[in-house]
């Protein structure tokens, strides 16, 4: 008899849509593990930037991704011995992550690491291709989105709260460029998975979005 698969809730969507906050809180409420797959692309991008690797050098970046010396404990992210929790959130690193994420060999190099997060009792996975490519058998698939204005406001607040400087105009332009790159790339483009519930959080609080995801989870588990 085949083993029941460990359940996965896949939450995909564009940058600054609130997926990270919602996914983390859903994981906390259910007592499940959490995968921030964007952090893996950001860690790879940071390694490339720090080693002066060209962001188009697919082979070298895939090698960096395949051997990422990263570890996660709670909200803290480490690369080798360095705490890079804040460093990977910088806009420069996010933009570099979006550039290296178009490279198929880099995406392939990160598959095994992402699958290794699937541990009992369950996983909430956040990214762009969680429901389409990495966990196509996810029990619940959600596409979380919000208007560019709402996302730029949220990202602005996050950056200012963390002590980074930011401009709404620059952030909106960067978001639109990044959305276009994430959605138009050939490898695992950003799009709702088949059967995904679409949740537009523009006028919603994080609490309301979490409550909606938990309602859908309860419905499909009933
Ligand atoms: O979610 P984020 O902003 O931390 O992700 C950073 C970049 O990584 C994003 O612009 C696209 C890429 N990414 C991806 O291609 N696939 C994922 N599953 C997660 C992130």
């Amino acid at each position: 008899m085949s083993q029941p698969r460990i359940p996965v809730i896949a939450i995909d969507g564009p940058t600054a849509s609130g997926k990270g906050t919602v996914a983390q809180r859903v994981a906390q409420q259910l007592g499940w593990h959490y995968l921030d797959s964007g952090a893996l692309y950001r860690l790879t991008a940071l390694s490339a930037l720090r080693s002066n690797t060209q962001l188009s050098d697919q082979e070298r970046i895939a090698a960096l991704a395949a051997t990422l010396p990263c570890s996660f404990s709670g909200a803290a992210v480490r690369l080798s011995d360095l705490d890079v929790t804040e460093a990977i959130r910088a806009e420069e690193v996010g933009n570099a992550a979006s550039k290296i994420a178009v490279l198929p060999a880099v995406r392939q190099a990160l598959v095994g690491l992402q699958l290794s997060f699937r541990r009992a009792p369950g996983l909430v996975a956040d990214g762009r291709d969680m429901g389409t490519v990495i966990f196509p058998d996810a029990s619940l698939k959600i596409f979380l989105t919000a208007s560019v204005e709402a996302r730029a406001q949220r990202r602005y607040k996050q950056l200012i709260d963390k002590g980074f400087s930011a401009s709404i105009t620059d952030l909106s332009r960067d978001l639109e460029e990044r959305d276009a790159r994430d959605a138009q790339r050939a490898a695992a483009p950003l799009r709702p998975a088949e059967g995904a519930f679409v949740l537009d959080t523009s006028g919603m609080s994080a609490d309301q979005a979490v409550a909606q995801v938990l309602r859908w989870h309860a419905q499909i588990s009933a």
Side-chain angles (χ1 to χ4, degrees), residues 16-161:
S17 56
K19 304 174 268 117
T21 309
V22 172
Q24 275 179 74
R25 289 209 208 159
V26 169
Q28 214 168 28
Q29 298 246 0
L30 296 173
W32 286 12
H33 299 282
Y34 168 60
L35 165 63
D36 172 5
S37 61
L40 306 182
Y41 288 90
R42 287 170 180 269
L43 283 162
T44 306
L46 185 68
S47 298
L49 293 170
R50 291 197 170 163
S51 58
N52 288 319
T53 306
Q54 288 279 332
L55 295 180
S56 54
D57 188 338
Q58 170 154 233
E59 210 171 309
R60 280 189 65 189
I61 298 177
L64 289 174
T67 56
L68 264 187
C70 63
S71 60
F72 295 83
S73 78
V77 186
R78 299 181 79 82
L79 192 57
S80 300
D81 292 337
L82 295 175
D83 184 336
V84 294
T85 316
E86 295 297 328
I88 59 164
R89 297 293 152 202
E91 283 305 286
E92 184 202 3
V93 178
N95 283 324
S98 165
K99 288 184 185 151
I100 59 142
V102 305
L103 305 170
V106 173
R107 305 197 68 82
Q108 189 55 40
L110 289 172
V111 170
L113 182 54
Q114 293 176 83
L115 295 178
S116 72
F117 280 76
R118 187 174 195 166
R119 280 176 278 129
L123 174 70
V124 181
D126 133 28
R128 304 290 188 291
D129 61 345
M130 299 295 96
T132 49
V133 176
I134 305 295
F135 302 109
D137 63 339
S139 36
L140 174 62
K141 298 180 185 183
I142 291 167
F143 192 79
L144 208 81
T145 184
S147 66
V148 171
E149 296 74 33
R151 291 188 287 131
Q153 285 289 350
R154 285 180 196 159
R155 181 52 59 84
Y156 179 80
K157 190 172 175 312
Q158 274 171 3
L159 289 169
I160 298 296
D161 287 351

